[in-house]
Amino acid sequence: MAAPGLADASNTELPEGSRHDFRHDLSPDAPELENFNEGDGAWGYAHSYETGSRLDGPGIRITLFLSGCLLRCQYCHNPDTWKLKHGTRIPLERIVTRLGHFAPALRSMKGGLTISGGEPLVQPAFSGRIFAAAKSMGLHTALDTAGLLGASATDDYLKNVDLVLLDIKSWDPETYRRVTKQDVAPTLRFAERLAAMGKPVWVRYVLVPGLTDEPANVEGVAKFVAPMKNVEWVEVLPFHQLGSFKWKALGLKYELEDTPAAPAELVQRVLGQFRDAGCNAR
Ligand code: SF4
């Protein structure tokens, strides 16, 4: 039965697509995040899913992009995932049924399911139930998160997560706030908790010329992460402009309009900093 004020969407299918698709106003009745109560996670809001991804964990994967995010990263490629109203409201069972169709192929390609966003931990009950279903199908699972809501990932939740892709967007708290409009501390505490649990992590660092390329800032992340034996990789992701059209389409002010893509020499310098600190970096 549909929640009060929401259309019955029990026949809704989540559109297959890509992280570069623009979606907006698909659920105009959706609540703002501060009023959102997902209940038991039998329904959720999602942007799209992508098949054949090689970017979001080992093997060939399905990446599911959920709606909702509390950060406001200046370089966000997917501002159309920030608000629930831009996503599709969809029953859990539809996602699980669709995942089941792909499960044999994903297992044979040594891939699995990655849940990304937006921020999957805005919907911990929904994403947690999808992970549980994926594990019951014998799939490898990965959570792609910025860590701000790491406290919402209970130990039970993390039992169904094989790998965490953890974005650490800056070491310097002022730069972190400038980049994301949020505090870095919850992300660092989440990283420490994952290290204490021995949960496999790939740290991701988005490299933006003039914003996150300060050597001292990179070194701070590198020295923080290097002693963590659970961190298998640090991935340096060079900034690009592929998401800029979404900012314009949503009427948002895009601060990085004139920022160039991260050049190869800069990427090599930053990779060198992580490797010099003792990290596996790529
Ligand atoms: S955490 Fe991800 S989805 Fe959220 S604003 Fe930052 S880049 Fe965008």
Side-chain angles (χ1 to χ4, degrees), residues 50-76:
E50 190 172 297
T51 56
S53 168
R54 294 172 180 271
L55 303 172
D56 307 302
I60 297 184
R61 311 183 70 82
I62 286 203
T63 303
L64 172 65
F65 298 94
L66 297 188
S67 302
C69 188
L70 294 169
L71 284 77
R72 292 291 177 264
C73 301
Q74 285 191 29
Y75 52 68
C76 183

PDB file of all heavy atoms in Angstrom, residues 50-76:
ATOM      1  N   GLU A  50      23.496   1.049 -13.034  1.00  0.00           N
ATOM      2  CA  GLU A  50      24.383   0.927 -14.197  1.00  0.00           C
ATOM      3  C   GLU A  50      24.887  -0.511 -14.230  1.00  0.00           C
ATOM      4  O   GLU A  50      25.303  -1.037 -13.195  1.00  0.00           O
ATOM      5  CB  GLU A  50      25.542   1.905 -13.992  1.00  0.00           C
ATOM      6  CG  GLU A  50      26.445   2.133 -15.153  1.00  0.00           C
ATOM      7  CD  GLU A  50      27.428   3.280 -14.826  1.00  0.00           C
ATOM      8  OE1 GLU A  50      26.999   4.422 -14.620  1.00  0.00           O
ATOM      9  OE2 GLU A  50      28.629   2.992 -14.753  1.00  0.00           O
ATOM     10  N   THR A  51      24.873  -1.145 -15.385  1.00  0.00           N
ATOM     11  CA  THR A  51      25.430  -2.496 -15.501  1.00  0.00           C
ATOM     12  C   THR A  51      26.822  -2.404 -16.122  1.00  0.00           C
ATOM     13  O   THR A  51      27.165  -1.428 -16.788  1.00  0.00           O
ATOM     14  CB  THR A  51      24.550  -3.384 -16.395  1.00  0.00           C
ATOM     15  OG1 THR A  51      24.411  -2.755 -17.670  1.00  0.00           O
ATOM     16  CG2 THR A  51      23.169  -3.595 -15.796  1.00  0.00           C
ATOM     17  N   GLY A  52      27.618  -3.411 -15.853  1.00  0.00           N
ATOM     18  CA  GLY A  52      28.925  -3.500 -16.506  1.00  0.00           C
ATOM     19  C   GLY A  52      29.963  -2.547 -15.957  1.00  0.00           C
ATOM     20  O   GLY A  52      30.970  -2.272 -16.614  1.00  0.00           O
ATOM     21  N   SER A  53      29.773  -2.057 -14.733  1.00  0.00           N
ATOM     22  CA  SER A  53      30.747  -1.111 -14.190  1.00  0.00           C
ATOM     23  C   SER A  53      32.031  -1.826 -13.781  1.00  0.00           C
ATOM     24  O   SER A  53      31.997  -2.856 -13.113  1.00  0.00           O
ATOM     25  CB  SER A  53      30.165  -0.387 -12.970  1.00  0.00           C
ATOM     26  OG  SER A  53      31.202   0.315 -12.299  1.00  0.00           O
ATOM     27  N   ARG A  54      33.160  -1.253 -14.142  1.00  0.00           N
ATOM     28  CA  ARG A  54      34.466  -1.743 -13.691  1.00  0.00           C
ATOM     29  C   ARG A  54      35.098  -0.752 -12.726  1.00  0.00           C
ATOM     30  O   ARG A  54      36.267  -0.882 -12.382  1.00  0.00           O
ATOM     31  CB  ARG A  54      35.418  -1.907 -14.885  1.00  0.00           C
ATOM     32  CG  ARG A  54      35.011  -2.982 -15.868  1.00  0.00           C
ATOM     33  CD  ARG A  54      35.906  -2.928 -17.096  1.00  0.00           C
ATOM     34  NE  ARG A  54      35.533  -3.943 -18.056  1.00  0.00           N
ATOM     35  CZ  ARG A  54      36.016  -5.183 -18.060  1.00  0.00           C
ATOM     36  NH1 ARG A  54      36.895  -5.546 -17.157  1.00  0.00           N
ATOM     37  NH2 ARG A  54      35.632  -6.048 -18.967  1.00  0.00           N
ATOM     38  N   LEU A  55      34.348   0.264 -12.319  1.00  0.00           N
ATOM     39  CA  LEU A  55      34.932   1.379 -11.570  1.00  0.00           C
ATOM     40  C   LEU A  55      34.690   1.302 -10.071  1.00  0.00           C
ATOM     41  O   LEU A  55      35.336   2.019  -9.315  1.00  0.00           O
ATOM     42  CB  LEU A  55      34.311   2.705 -12.049  1.00  0.00           C
ATOM     43  CG  LEU A  55      34.426   3.021 -13.530  1.00  0.00           C
ATOM     44  CD1 LEU A  55      33.595   4.249 -13.873  1.00  0.00           C
ATOM     45  CD2 LEU A  55      35.890   3.253 -13.891  1.00  0.00           C
ATOM     46  N   ASP A  56      33.765   0.472  -9.652  1.00  0.00           N
ATOM     47  CA  ASP A  56      33.245   0.609  -8.288  1.00  0.00           C
ATOM     48  C   ASP A  56      33.463  -0.633  -7.438  1.00  0.00           C
ATOM     49  O   ASP A  56      32.587  -1.017  -6.664  1.00  0.00           O
ATOM     50  CB  ASP A  56      31.742   0.934  -8.356  1.00  0.00           C
ATOM     51  CG  ASP A  56      31.462   2.142  -9.243  1.00  0.00           C
ATOM     52  OD1 ASP A  56      32.009   3.211  -8.960  1.00  0.00           O
ATOM     53  OD2 ASP A  56      30.734   1.991 -10.234  1.00  0.00           O
ATOM     54  N   GLY A  57      34.639  -1.233  -7.557  1.00  0.00           N
ATOM     55  CA  GLY A  57      34.935  -2.439  -6.806  1.00  0.00           C
ATOM     56  C   GLY A  57      35.464  -3.506  -7.743  1.00  0.00           C
ATOM     57  O   GLY A  57      35.611  -3.275  -8.943  1.00  0.00           O
ATOM     58  N   PRO A  58      35.765  -4.691  -7.198  1.00  0.00           N
ATOM     59  CA  PRO A  58      36.380  -5.735  -8.034  1.00  0.00           C
ATOM     60  C   PRO A  58      35.408  -6.342  -9.041  1.00  0.00           C
ATOM     61  O   PRO A  58      34.203  -6.411  -8.806  1.00  0.00           O
ATOM     62  CB  PRO A  58      36.810  -6.790  -7.002  1.00  0.00           C
ATOM     63  CG  PRO A  58      35.967  -6.544  -5.800  1.00  0.00           C
ATOM     64  CD  PRO A  58      35.637  -5.074  -5.790  1.00  0.00           C
ATOM     65  N   GLY A  59      35.951  -6.797 -10.160  1.00  0.00           N
ATOM     66  CA  GLY A  59      35.145  -7.493 -11.167  1.00  0.00           C
ATOM     67  C   GLY A  59      34.216  -6.554 -11.902  1.00  0.00           C
ATOM     68  O   GLY A  59      34.359  -5.331 -11.872  1.00  0.00           O
ATOM     69  N   ILE A  60      33.238  -7.165 -12.557  1.00  0.00           N
ATOM     70  CA  ILE A  60      32.245  -6.385 -13.306  1.00  0.00           C
ATOM     71  C   ILE A  60      30.981  -6.340 -12.460  1.00  0.00           C
ATOM     72  O   ILE A  60      30.501  -7.366 -11.978  1.00  0.00           O
ATOM     73  CB  ILE A  60      32.007  -7.013 -14.677  1.00  0.00           C
ATOM     74  CG1 ILE A  60      33.325  -6.940 -15.438  1.00  0.00           C
ATOM     75  CG2 ILE A  60      30.883  -6.295 -15.414  1.00  0.00           C
ATOM     76  CD1 ILE A  60      33.276  -7.419 -16.839  1.00  0.00           C
ATOM     77  N   ARG A  61      30.452  -5.130 -12.282  1.00  0.00           N
ATOM     78  CA  ARG A  61      29.457  -4.930 -11.232  1.00  0.00           C
ATOM     79  C   ARG A  61      28.214  -4.221 -11.730  1.00  0.00           C
ATOM     80  O   ARG A  61      28.233  -3.550 -12.771  1.00  0.00           O
ATOM     81  CB  ARG A  61      30.073  -4.070 -10.102  1.00  0.00           C
ATOM     82  CG  ARG A  61      31.425  -4.578  -9.661  1.00  0.00           C
ATOM     83  CD  ARG A  61      32.002  -3.796  -8.515  1.00  0.00           C
ATOM     84  NE  ARG A  61      31.296  -4.002  -7.258  1.00  0.00           N
ATOM     85  CZ  ARG A  61      31.495  -5.039  -6.455  1.00  0.00           C
ATOM     86  NH1 ARG A  61      32.367  -5.965  -6.771  1.00  0.00           N
ATOM     87  NH2 ARG A  61      30.811  -5.156  -5.325  1.00  0.00           N
ATOM     88  N   ILE A  62      27.178  -4.360 -10.916  1.00  0.00           N
ATOM     89  CA  ILE A  62      26.031  -3.459 -11.015  1.00  0.00           C
ATOM     90  C   ILE A  62      26.251  -2.380  -9.969  1.00  0.00           C
ATOM     91  O   ILE A  62      26.581  -2.685  -8.810  1.00  0.00           O
ATOM     92  CB  ILE A  62      24.730  -4.209 -10.736  1.00  0.00           C
ATOM     93  CG1 ILE A  62      24.419  -5.084 -11.939  1.00  0.00           C
ATOM     94  CG2 ILE A  62      23.603  -3.244 -10.434  1.00  0.00           C
ATOM     95  CD1 ILE A  62      22.994  -5.461 -12.086  1.00  0.00           C
ATOM     96  N   THR A  63      26.107  -1.149 -10.362  1.00  0.00           N
ATOM     97  CA  THR A  63      26.160  -0.051  -9.397  1.00  0.00           C
ATOM     98  C   THR A  63      24.783   0.585  -9.333  1.00  0.00           C
ATOM     99  O   THR A  63      24.226   1.007 -10.356  1.00  0.00           O
ATOM    100  CB  THR A  63      27.217   0.988  -9.795  1.00  0.00           C
ATOM    101  OG1 THR A  63      28.486   0.328  -9.907  1.00  0.00           O
ATOM    102  CG2 THR A  63      27.337   2.077  -8.735  1.00  0.00           C
ATOM    103  N   LEU A  64      24.254   0.614  -8.124  1.00  0.00           N
ATOM    104  CA  LEU A  64      22.938   1.196  -7.874  1.00  0.00           C
ATOM    105  C   LEU A  64      23.144   2.569  -7.237  1.00  0.00           C
ATOM    106  O   LEU A  64      23.828   2.676  -6.217  1.00  0.00           O
ATOM    107  CB  LEU A  64      22.161   0.277  -6.921  1.00  0.00           C
ATOM    108  CG  LEU A  64      20.836   0.801  -6.374  1.00  0.00           C
ATOM    109  CD1 LEU A  64      19.816   0.985  -7.496  1.00  0.00           C
ATOM    110  CD2 LEU A  64      20.291  -0.164  -5.311  1.00  0.00           C
ATOM    111  N   PHE A  65      22.573   3.571  -7.857  1.00  0.00           N
ATOM    112  CA  PHE A  65      22.727   4.942  -7.357  1.00  0.00           C
ATOM    113  C   PHE A  65      21.452   5.335  -6.610  1.00  0.00           C
ATOM    114  O   PHE A  65      20.385   5.486  -7.224  1.00  0.00           O
ATOM    115  CB  PHE A  65      22.977   5.909  -8.520  1.00  0.00           C
ATOM    116  CG  PHE A  65      24.241   5.610  -9.267  1.00  0.00           C
ATOM    117  CD1 PHE A  65      24.220   4.815 -10.401  1.00  0.00           C
ATOM    118  CD2 PHE A  65      25.470   6.068  -8.813  1.00  0.00           C
ATOM    119  CE1 PHE A  65      25.381   4.498 -11.081  1.00  0.00           C
ATOM    120  CE2 PHE A  65      26.635   5.760  -9.474  1.00  0.00           C
ATOM    121  CZ  PHE A  65      26.595   4.973 -10.616  1.00  0.00           C
ATOM    122  N   LEU A  66      21.573   5.480  -5.292  1.00  0.00           N
ATOM    123  CA  LEU A  66      20.423   5.897  -4.489  1.00  0.00           C
ATOM    124  C   LEU A  66      20.364   7.413  -4.406  1.00  0.00           C
ATOM    125  O   LEU A  66      21.370   8.109  -4.600  1.00  0.00           O
ATOM    126  CB  LEU A  66      20.510   5.299  -3.086  1.00  0.00           C
ATOM    127  CG  LEU A  66      20.451   3.772  -3.005  1.00  0.00           C
ATOM    128  CD1 LEU A  66      20.344   3.317  -1.554  1.00  0.00           C
ATOM    129  CD2 LEU A  66      19.290   3.208  -3.819  1.00  0.00           C
ATOM    130  N   SER A  67      19.179   7.904  -4.083  1.00  0.00           N
ATOM    131  CA  SER A  67      18.982   9.348  -3.961  1.00  0.00           C
ATOM    132  C   SER A  67      19.203   9.784  -2.518  1.00  0.00           C
ATOM    133  O   SER A  67      19.049   8.999  -1.587  1.00  0.00           O
ATOM    134  CB  SER A  67      17.564   9.720  -4.382  1.00  0.00           C
ATOM    135  OG  SER A  67      17.333   9.308  -5.707  1.00  0.00           O
ATOM    136  N   GLY A  68      19.554  11.063  -2.370  1.00  0.00           N
ATOM    137  CA  GLY A  68      19.724  11.661  -1.058  1.00  0.00           C
ATOM    138  C   GLY A  68      21.177  11.819  -0.690  1.00  0.00           C
ATOM    139  O   GLY A  68      21.941  10.851  -0.721  1.00  0.00           O
ATOM    140  N   CYS A  69      21.588  13.055  -0.376  1.00  0.00           N
ATOM    141  CA  CYS A  69      22.945  13.305   0.107  1.00  0.00           C
ATOM    142  C   CYS A  69      22.931  14.589   0.905  1.00  0.00           C
ATOM    143  O   CYS A  69      22.265  15.560   0.529  1.00  0.00           O
ATOM    144  CB  CYS A  69      23.945  13.405  -1.041  1.00  0.00           C
ATOM    145  SG  CYS A  69      25.649  13.491  -0.418  1.00  0.00           S
ATOM    146  N   LEU A  70      23.694  14.595   2.009  1.00  0.00           N
ATOM    147  CA  LEU A  70      23.771  15.790   2.868  1.00  0.00           C
ATOM    148  C   LEU A  70      24.999  16.635   2.560  1.00  0.00           C
ATOM    149  O   LEU A  70      25.133  17.736   3.080  1.00  0.00           O
ATOM    150  CB  LEU A  70      23.815  15.378   4.349  1.00  0.00           C
ATOM    151  CG  LEU A  70      22.545  14.705   4.865  1.00  0.00           C
ATOM    152  CD1 LEU A  70      22.791  14.104   6.246  1.00  0.00           C
ATOM    153  CD2 LEU A  70      21.407  15.708   4.922  1.00  0.00           C
ATOM    154  N   LEU A  71      25.920  16.107   1.767  1.00  0.00           N
ATOM    155  CA  LEU A  71      27.079  16.912   1.382  1.00  0.00           C
ATOM    156  C   LEU A  71      26.707  17.751   0.159  1.00  0.00           C
ATOM    157  O   LEU A  71      25.718  17.471  -0.534  1.00  0.00           O
ATOM    158  CB  LEU A  71      28.277  16.016   1.062  1.00  0.00           C
ATOM    159  CG  LEU A  71      29.007  15.423   2.280  1.00  0.00           C
ATOM    160  CD1 LEU A  71      28.246  14.257   2.876  1.00  0.00           C
ATOM    161  CD2 LEU A  71      30.420  14.968   1.897  1.00  0.00           C
ATOM    162  N   ARG A  72      27.514  18.748  -0.099  1.00  0.00           N
ATOM    163  CA  ARG A  72      27.302  19.602  -1.275  1.00  0.00           C
ATOM    164  C   ARG A  72      28.654  19.829  -1.941  1.00  0.00           C
ATOM    165  O   ARG A  72      29.137  20.958  -2.041  1.00  0.00           O
ATOM    166  CB  ARG A  72      26.666  20.943  -0.864  1.00  0.00           C
ATOM    167  CG  ARG A  72      25.232  20.814  -0.348  1.00  0.00           C
ATOM    168  CD  ARG A  72      24.272  20.421  -1.483  1.00  0.00           C
ATOM    169  NE  ARG A  72      22.900  20.217  -1.037  1.00  0.00           N
ATOM    170  CZ  ARG A  72      22.364  19.017  -0.731  1.00  0.00           C
ATOM    171  NH1 ARG A  72      23.096  17.924  -0.794  1.00  0.00           N
ATOM    172  NH2 ARG A  72      21.109  18.919  -0.362  1.00  0.00           N
ATOM    173  N   CYS A  73      29.256  18.728  -2.383  1.00  0.00           N
ATOM    174  CA  CYS A  73      30.612  18.822  -2.927  1.00  0.00           C
ATOM    175  C   CYS A  73      30.639  19.737  -4.139  1.00  0.00           C
ATOM    176  O   CYS A  73      29.806  19.596  -5.053  1.00  0.00           O
ATOM    177  CB  CYS A  73      31.118  17.442  -3.295  1.00  0.00           C
ATOM    178  SG  CYS A  73      31.152  16.321  -1.891  1.00  0.00           S
ATOM    179  N   GLN A  74      31.618  20.605  -4.146  1.00  0.00           N
ATOM    180  CA  GLN A  74      31.732  21.548  -5.270  1.00  0.00           C
ATOM    181  C   GLN A  74      31.899  20.822  -6.590  1.00  0.00           C
ATOM    182  O   GLN A  74      31.544  21.341  -7.632  1.00  0.00           O
ATOM    183  CB  GLN A  74      32.950  22.465  -5.064  1.00  0.00           C
ATOM    184  CG  GLN A  74      32.767  23.525  -4.028  1.00  0.00           C
ATOM    185  CD  GLN A  74      33.908  24.530  -4.084  1.00  0.00           C
ATOM    186  OE1 GLN A  74      34.506  24.763  -5.133  1.00  0.00           O
ATOM    187  NE2 GLN A  74      34.226  25.131  -2.950  1.00  0.00           N
ATOM    188  N   TYR A  75      32.497  19.622  -6.535  1.00  0.00           N
ATOM    189  CA  TYR A  75      32.776  18.903  -7.779  1.00  0.00           C
ATOM    190  C   TYR A  75      31.778  17.785  -8.046  1.00  0.00           C
ATOM    191  O   TYR A  75      32.017  16.930  -8.905  1.00  0.00           O
ATOM    192  CB  TYR A  75      34.196  18.323  -7.754  1.00  0.00           C
ATOM    193  CG  TYR A  75      34.536  17.495  -6.540  1.00  0.00           C
ATOM    194  CD1 TYR A  75      33.936  16.269  -6.302  1.00  0.00           C
ATOM    195  CD2 TYR A  75      35.482  17.948  -5.619  1.00  0.00           C
ATOM    196  CE1 TYR A  75      34.253  15.510  -5.201  1.00  0.00           C
ATOM    197  CE2 TYR A  75      35.810  17.200  -4.505  1.00  0.00           C
ATOM    198  CZ  TYR A  75      35.191  15.978  -4.307  1.00  0.00           C
ATOM    199  OH  TYR A  75      35.510  15.228  -3.203  1.00  0.00           O
ATOM    200  N   CYS A  76      30.664  17.766  -7.308  1.00  0.00           N
ATOM    201  CA  CYS A  76      29.726  16.640  -7.441  1.00  0.00           C
ATOM    202  C   CYS A  76      29.312  16.440  -8.911  1.00  0.00           C
ATOM    203  O   CYS A  76      28.895  17.377  -9.583  1.00  0.00           O
ATOM    204  CB  CYS A  76      28.487  16.893  -6.586  1.00  0.00           C
ATOM    205  SG  CYS A  76      27.342  15.515  -6.638  1.00  0.00           S
TER     206      CYS A  76
END
